[in-house]
Each structure stands twice: as C-alpha cells, then as structure tokens.
C-alpha cells in the first residue's frame, strides 16, 4: 500500500520558488497498476521520485508498505530502496562497462547473498524478461527494447513489492514499447507487483488499472 | 568482483586519457625517485660515518694542515683507543674535464688507517705489499673497474696542491663491507708525499690534513673533543675535534643550496602528481554523475560511491607508481654510471620507494576527495538529470 498525504514540493531556480506539487493525496492499494499522466512540467516525475524515496517532500507524508519515508535518514532510505523498490528509467540507465548479467547483479551486491545465489537470481530475472541468451552482452550490443528489459530485470531481481517506472516506453519504437508494457502487465498480474508508471502515452496508460492525471501540481 | 570490475573498467573507459595519466604519473614518480636518490647520495658520507670515530682538523679550516707531532699527544688522551691521519692530495689525472677522472686521492698512514676503517676490506696479502712499498696505493673496486686498473698498474698524475709528477703503483684493491661504502678512493703512503714535498717545499713537510680518532665509548666523544682541542689551544695550529658524522655533515652543508633546490623540486613533483591525477579523476567523475545517481537509486550508499571513485584513483596511481618505480632503477643506474666518482654511492634507498608509494597513494586519495564528496552529496534527482 502506498499512501501520499498532503504532499507539497517546490524547487528553487535562481532563488525563485517554483511550486511543483501542492497538497497531493493518493492511495495506491497493493497489486495496483497506476498510470500517472499529465503534460510536461506537471509534477509527474517529481511525485514518482517522492514515492520511490529518491527525493523528499517539503511537507506531507509518504508511506510505502507501512514505512514512513520521512522518518528514514539517507542510509536507511538507501537500504529501503534496495529492498523495497525497483526503478525503471526512460533511458534504461544501464552501466555501459558491465554486461547485462552484471548490471542485473548490481542490486544484489547490497544483499548478503553469495555469488552462487546471486547468479541464480540474475539468471531467473533475465529469463523472465526473455533475455536468458543475452547475459554476457554489453548494453551497446543490445537494442533499445532489450536494454529496457535488462533494466526491468535489474528492477525486479531483489523481488521488490513496488515498481516505479518513469516513461518506460518513451524511448522505444512501437513494437518494443508494446513488449515492455506486456512485460509490466505480466509482472503486475502474475507477480502481484504494485506498479506506478509515469507516461505520456495513452496506449501505455491503457494497460494500467487506474489512470490519474496531474496538472499544474494538482491531482484530479 | 563486480565492484572491482566496475573500478577497473571505469579506469580504462578512456584508454588514451588513462594512458597519458599513467605516463605522467610514472614520469613524476621516476623524477621524484631520482631527486631523492641524488639527495641521499649527497648524504652518503654522513650515513656511512662510524659511531665511534672522530676527526680532528685545523680550527680555522679543513684546508690548513696540522703537525704530525700531535699524534702521540692525542693518543694519550683517556678514551682514545686509536689515532690515524690522512691528507687530501688532489692532483690531476688524465683529462681533468672528464668526470670519471675526478676521484678522491688521499695520503694516509698505511699502518693504522685500515684498522680505523674496517669497512674498507683489503685482502691481507695486498695490504702487506702495500705497506712495504713506499709509492704503492690501494684503490677502490669501483674505481678499478671504471678505469680498468689492475694490481701492478702504475697511475701517473700531475700534482696541483703538491706540485710535481707523481706515480703510484696499484698494490691493493679494496671492496666495501656493503654497498653503502665508497669504492672510488685512492689511498697511498703519507710518507711518500712527505718525502717528496720535503725536497721541494721543506716548509710544508711534517704536516697532515686531519687526524682520525677511535674512541672506546661514543658517550665520551664530547669530553674527548674538549680535551683534544684544549691541548692545542695555544699551539700554532689550533684544532677542532668533532664526530665523523659532524665532519661529513659540514661538507654537505657547503652544498645546502643545491640540496634545498632538489628538495623543493621534489615537492613540486608531488604537486604535479596530485594535479595530473586530480584532473583525470575530476573529469571521469563528472562524466559519470548520472551513473552514480543510478547506483544510488538502486540502493548504493554514499560510502560505496566514494569507494568506487577512490578505487579508480588508487588503481591509476598504483599503475603509474609501479611503472615509475620500475623506471627509477635503470635511470638511477645510468645516472650512477655517468657520474661514477661524483656520486660514488648512488643507490635507490628503500625509504625512497616507500615515499614514492605513500606520496602516490596519498595523492590518489586527495585527488579523489573532491569528486567523491561531490558525488556523495549529490541529490539523486540532480544526478539523473546530469548529462555525462
């Protein structure tokens, strides 16, 4: 369960305060697939970042699976992210010097798993996204769709309950985008992952159970 | 292993930049090692000084001589267990403009000198022959090798301090007890010098350059020095007695400006090492801010990000230092061969190598400090917006 209560957030640009989110309230039940839509600059990604614990609100509370994020310090928040959230970026953000398997293994380095167990988890995650035969490929040897699959494998390898995706199909062609959305749908349905996805793409939003629109920092 | 691989791969992501940094570091470490070795070579005489030897010289200056007659009086002072003497000869051998033709030439007392300097090892039969022949000399092995002198060879030279033509026959070749001992000296009979000079400049006869005193207890040195100098206070030639180390140190202090310059250059080189490395690490870290933000997003702590940047800096420093140290030995060897008699002892000291490693790793840590702090303090959302 994700609960966002009375959250506000502003940024400062050249000492000028720019309000991004104002008094946002949102509840995402476990296992829901939520799409956040809205024009550029509406605060979608900011809200996503707050839910994922990579940014902090100016006021209000965010609770994810009974953990109130504001009560955690930086180190605790990093540990919480590694256990509880999987993040999928628009531009994949794989490390170019590591193979697909090594990229997926990165979050597991923060756990107490031994190498053998880590390899098992990596193997399972890459097979789940259909890249069991691309383990030793470097990102530059993969297509955009394949790179995003590796990024999804990295996001799910620690078996988090929540996945946050920021424009996961924004950099992909139609076919690859469809494959990625199908994969996210599968993760939601079969593995009961709670997914919060920011998108501009109405076809992507169609896959979600719930679509919420954000405009000028306010949720509809 | 993945983190280690990440450090290694990141270090060589820009092969040319890393290669240039490694070369720059290697040259700087090599230059530092060479500078330190030159400074050490200057102090070699001080370092090889014996703890129980003292030198008595003229109170005004080393260039003024002392009467040989002081010897017996000095020997009677309590605590003095042996007395020998020596005299700087100088002379011109071959082309005086060639470095290799300059080597220390001293007239000594053949009966006592080698007992005072056990670090000069002369085969007993050669020492016996040397003591018997008035114009015989003993030379160091390094000098013999350099000029291909053999036992029985005659060495001719022109005198400068002591005019005339001089010929010495090599009757012994000494080796140093260890590699810190100067093997470039030529030692001959003081009596041969005295006899020859008595014939042409009788007023200069009967004098020696300095006395070497052996003392039974190093703790008594100050007292012995006082007694010796008091003994000759009102003589025509007053004395100054000091430990051998102080005596050698006084020669080094004559070159203090050069040594200071070399030490300053050493510190400049340390600055260069730091700047070369810092430039590369700052650039690399700035390009990877987005990647660090991604790592933070998936749960990497700031400490782990710092270790990635620090590891990269240390790896590059380690490679550069390894090449630099590997190059220091042949360069120092070439330097020693080019100036064999000017720097008779020219060895790369273990302390120099330790300093090279410590300075390189210290520089690596400092170079990584700024980008590491920046990356660790970076907000994830700012990092994700960064363009590498």
């Amino acid at each position: 369960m994700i609960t966002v209560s009375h959250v506000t957030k502003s940024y400062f640009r050249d000492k000028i305060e720019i309000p991004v989110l104002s008094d946002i309230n949102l509840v995402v039940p476990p296992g829901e697939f939520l799409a956040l839509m809205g024009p550029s600059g509406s605060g979608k990604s900011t809200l996503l970042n707050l839910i994922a614990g990579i940014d902090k609100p100016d006021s209000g509370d965010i609770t994810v699976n009974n953990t109130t994020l504001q009560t955690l310090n930086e180190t605790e928040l990093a540990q919480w992210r590694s256990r509880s959230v999987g993040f999928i970026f628009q531009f994949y953000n794989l490390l170019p010097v590591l193979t697909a398997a090594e990229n997926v293994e990165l979050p597991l380095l923060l756990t107490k798993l031994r190498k053998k167990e880590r390899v098992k988890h990596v193997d399972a995650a890459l097979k789940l996204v259909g890249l069991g035969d691309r383990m030793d490929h470097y990102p530059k040897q993969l297509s955009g769709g394949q790179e995003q699959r590796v990024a999804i494998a990295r996001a799910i390898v620690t078996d988090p309950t929540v996945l946050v995706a920021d424009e996961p199909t924004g950099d992909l062609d139609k076919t690859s985008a469809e494959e990625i959305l199908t994969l996210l749908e599968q993760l939601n349905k079969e593995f009961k992952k709670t997914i919060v996805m920011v998108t501009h793409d109405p076809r992507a939003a169609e896959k979600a159970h719930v679509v919420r629109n954000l405009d000028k920092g306010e949720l509809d | 292993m993945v983190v280690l691989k990440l450090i290694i791969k990141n270090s060589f992501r820009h092969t040319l930049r890393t290669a240039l940094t490694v070369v720059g570091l290697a040259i700087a470490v090599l230059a530092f090692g060479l500078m330190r070795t030159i400074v050490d070579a200057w102090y070699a005489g001080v370092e090889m000084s014996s703890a129980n030897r003292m030198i008595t010289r003229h109170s005004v200056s080393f260039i003024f001589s002392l009467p040989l007659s002081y010897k017996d009086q000095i020997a009677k002072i309590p605590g003095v267990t042996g007395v020998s003497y020596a005299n700087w000869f100088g002379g011109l051998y071959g082309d005086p403009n060639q470095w290799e033709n300059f080597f220390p030439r001293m007239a000594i007392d053949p009966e006592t000198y080698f007992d005072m300097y056990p670090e000069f090892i002369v085969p007993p039969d050669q020492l016996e022959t040397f003591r018997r022949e008035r114009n015989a000399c003993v030379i160091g092995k390094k000098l013999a090798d350099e000029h291909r002198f053999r036992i029985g060879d005659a060495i001719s030279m022109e005198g400068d301090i002591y005019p005339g033509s001089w010929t010495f026959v090599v009757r012994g070749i000494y080796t140093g007890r260890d590699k810190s001992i100067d093997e470039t000296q030529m030692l001959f009979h003081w009596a041969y010098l005295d006899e020859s000079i008595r014939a042409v400049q009788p007023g200069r006869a009967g004098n020696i350059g300095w006395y070497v005193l052996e003392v039974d207890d190093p703790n008594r040195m100050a007292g012995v020095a006082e007694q010796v100098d008091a003994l000759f206070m009102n003589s025509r030639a007053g004395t100054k007695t000091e430990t051998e180390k102080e005596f050698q140190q006084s020669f080094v202090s004559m070159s203090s400006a050069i040594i200071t310059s070399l030490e300053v250059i050493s510190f400049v080189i340390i600055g260069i090492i730091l700047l070369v490395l810092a430039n590369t690490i700052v650039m690399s870290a700035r390009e990877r801010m987005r990647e660090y933000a991604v790592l933070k997003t998936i749960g990497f702590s700031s400490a782990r990000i710092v270790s990635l940047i620090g590891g990269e800096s240390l790896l590059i420093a380690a490679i550069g230092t390894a090449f630099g140290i590997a190059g220091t030995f042949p360069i120092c060897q070439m330097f020693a061969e080019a100036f064999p008699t000017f720097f008779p002892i020219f060895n790369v000291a273990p302390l120099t190598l330790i300093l090279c490693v410590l300075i390189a790793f210290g520089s690596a840590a400092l170079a990584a400090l700024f980008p590491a702090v920046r990356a660790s303090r970076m907000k994830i959302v700012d990092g994700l917006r960064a363009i590498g």
Side-chain angles (χ1 to χ4, degrees):
Chain A
M1 167 87 84
I2 300 169
T3 311
V4 178
S5 305
H6 306 292
V7 163
T8 61
K9 177 76 182 173
S10 301
Y11 286 121
F12 284 87
R13 192 170 293 163
D14 299 329
K15 293 182 183 174
I16 300 167
E17 188 177 1
I18 301 165
V20 182
L21 299 174
S22 60
D23 197 29
I24 298 289
N25 291 287
L26 176 70
V27 175
V28 184
E32 184 156 281
F33 188 166
L34 169 76
L36 281 172
M37 294 193 76
S40 295
S42 59
K44 309 182 294 295
S45 293
T46 301
L47 180 56
L48 195 74
N49 292 339
L50 295 175
I51 292 169
I54 61 174
D55 202 358
K56 288 186 171 177
D58 297 336
S59 64
D61 291 321
I62 296 170
T63 306
V64 180
N65 295 336
N66 300 322
T67 303
T68 305
L69 303 190
Q70 289 89 307
T71 61
L72 306 178
N73 62 31
E74 283 302 323
T75 310
E76 290 167 337
L77 208 50
Q79 288 169 350
W80 174 81
R81 282 196 302 271
S82 69
R83 286 192 309 266
S84 313
V85 190
F87 210 106
I88 302 160
F89 303 92
Q90 180 180 355
F91 298 108
Y92 336 125
N93 284 336
L94 301 177
L95 300 197
V97 292
L98 300 181
T99 63
E102 287 164 346
N103 265 289
V104 175
E105 192 183 352
L106 279 173
L108 296 176
L109 298 176
L110 306 171
T111 67
K112 288 178 182 170
L113 292 177
R114 292 177 176 210
K115 179 71 183 169
K116 246 183 188 174
E117 293 167 301
R118 294 204 302 267
V119 169
K120 258 187 197 172
H121 281 70
V122 169
D123 193 53
L126 279 169
K127 279 181 178 158
L128 182 67
V129 299
L131 288 176
D133 56 344
R134 294 282 194 274
M135 291 202 181
D136 296 326
H137 284 59
Y138 285 91
K140 65 181 177 190
Q141 296 168 324
L142 301 171
S143 68
Q146 289 171 327
E147 279 195 76
Q148 192 61 299
R149 282 164 181 268
V150 175
I152 292 171
R154 182 178 65 186
I156 62 171
V157 74
T158 54
D159 196 24
T161 49
V162 177
L163 292 180
V164 293
D166 193 355
E167 303 270 16
T169 57
D171 194 46
L172 298 175
D173 60 62
K174 196 177 163 185
T175 313
S176 300
E178 189 56 39
E179 286 171 3
I180 293 299
L181 290 169
T182 306
L183 186 56
L184 289 176
E185 211 174 10
Q186 182 193 357
L187 289 171
N188 174 251
K189 277 185 183 162
E190 291 181 23
F191 298 93
K192 310 294 177 206
K193 303 289 179 199
T194 305
I195 299 178
V196 181
M197 176 177 70
V198 162
T199 183
H200 274 107
D201 183 359
R203 281 172 305 180
E206 277 175 20
K207 302 279 183 184
H209 305 154
V210 180
V211 178
R212 299 292 298 269
N213 283 290
L214 202 59
D215 193 11
K216 293 176 184 168
E218 292 183 3
L219 211 51
D220 62 7
Chain B
M1 282 303 284
V2 175
V3 172
L4 186 63
K5 185 181 176 185
L6 193 56
I7 290 172
I8 295 169
K9 290 267 189 173
N10 275 340
S11 300
F12 294 96
R13 208 187 271 196
H14 293 279
T15 317
L16 180 62
R17 184 165 73 196
T18 303
L20 290 173
T21 305
V22 165
V23 170
L25 279 174
I27 291 171
V29 167
L30 192 155
F32 179 81
L34 181 60
M35 291 292 160
R36 291 296 318 168
T37 306
I38 292 172
V39 172
D40 287 348
W42 234 290
Y43 283 99
V46 178
E47 293 304 317
M48 63 183 273
S49 303
S50 169
N52 66 341
R53 279 199 299 255
M54 300 185 79
I55 303 292
T56 297
R57 61 166 173 91
H58 196 286
S59 59
V60 175
S61 168
F62 168 71
I63 63 168
F64 295 111
S65 54
L66 295 171
L68 180 63
S69 58
Y70 286 6
K71 184 183 176 222
D72 292 339
Q73 295 176 70
I74 294 171
K76 286 176 189 161
I77 289 174
V80 175
T81 52
V83 182
S84 187
Y85 54 87
N87 200 103
W88 182 260
F89 175 72
L92 303 171
Y93 174 74
D95 179 357
N97 293 319
Q98 298 290 321
W99 279 112
E100 61 268 25
N101 291 334
F102 174 80
F103 49 86
R105 296 178 271 264
M106 287 179 284
I108 58 153
D109 175 18
E111 298 304 322
T112 55
Y113 195 81
F114 288 103
D115 295 335
M116 304 287 277
Y117 287 91
E119 60 265 42
F120 292 170
I121 298 165
V122 188
D125 56 326
Q126 293 180 16
L127 185 60
E128 191 54 41
T129 312
F130 165 68
R131 282 174 172 159
R132 278 203 310 266
E133 292 183 25
R134 189 55 64 96
N135 67 339
C137 70
V138 171
I139 60 173
K141 187 176 182 306
K142 204 168 171 182
L143 179 66
D145 292 344
E146 175 70 22
H147 291 274
R148 295 181 185 173
F149 291 143
R150 303 232 167 96
I151 299 286
D153 283 358
I155 302 174
S156 297
M157 60 182 71
E158 288 299 313
D160 44 13
I161 303 171
Y162 298 97
S165 295
W166 300 79
T167 300
F168 307 95
V169 179
V170 178
R171 289 301 181 204
I173 295 176
Y174 75 84
T175 50
R177 188 178 50 202
D178 55 61
K179 63 179 186 174
S180 68
I181 305 301
D182 180 5
E183 291 181 345
T184 67
Q185 297 183 20
M186 175 186 152
L187 307 166
F188 63 93
H189 287 230
W190 175 84
Y192 177 48
L193 172 71
D194 191 58
E195 273 173 17
S196 305
I197 210 68
R198 190 183 294 275
V200 289
Q201 294 178 323
R204 296 178 70 186
N207 289 318
I208 57 97
W210 64 90
Y211 288 101
V212 183
L213 284 61
E214 189 180 68
V215 179
D216 59 355
D217 181 1
N219 294 322
R220 295 180 71 173
M221 283 183 160
V224 168
E226 268 180 35
Q227 288 183 67
V228 172
D229 294 343
L231 195 60
F232 305 110
M233 189 183 283
N234 297 317
S235 307
R236 70 171 174 89
T239 59
K240 180 178 180 182
T241 304
E242 57 198 342
T243 64
E244 189 181 44
K245 195 163 195 167
E246 288 167 340
F247 179 70
Q248 294 287 356
Q249 187 77 49
S250 66
F251 286 101
V252 174
S253 62
M254 290 176 199
S255 311
S256 63
I258 298 171
I259 295 170
T260 305
S261 305
L262 290 173
E263 284 173 341
V264 168
I265 293 169
S266 300
F267 285 110
V268 170
I269 291 168
I270 293 170
I272 292 170
I273 294 174
L274 182 59
L275 288 176
V276 166
L277 196 54
N279 185 49
T280 297
I281 299 303
V282 166
M283 272 200 286
S284 301
R286 193 191 297 138
E287 288 166 359
R288 289 179 208 141
M289 280 302 168
R290 192 184 177 97
E291 289 174 22
Y292 298 140
V294 171
L295 290 172
K296 278 183 156 189
T297 303
I298 60 180
F300 274 62
S301 63
S302 294
R304 278 179 185 263
I305 302 295
V306 168
S307 70
L308 280 178
I309 297 171
E312 194 176 328
S313 184
L314 284 174
L315 179 63
I316 293 173
I319 296 169
T321 306
F323 279 118
I325 287 176
T328 301
F329 287 96
I331 291 291
C332 285
Q333 181 67 30
M334 284 164 64
F335 201 86
E337 283 169 9
F339 305 101
T341 50
F342 193 73
F343 289 117
I345 300 156
F346 202 82
N347 303 315
V348 183
L351 180 64
T352 299
L353 301 180
I354 292 168
L355 276 176
C356 284
V357 172
L358 288 179
I359 287 165
F361 285 172
S363 299
L366 271 176
L369 188 65
F370 172 70
V373 167
R374 191 162 170 248
S376 64
R377 287 184 180 171
M378 168 193 66
K379 284 184 177 176
I380 296 174
V381 285
D382 293 335
L384 291 174
R385 276 196 290 265
I387 296 168

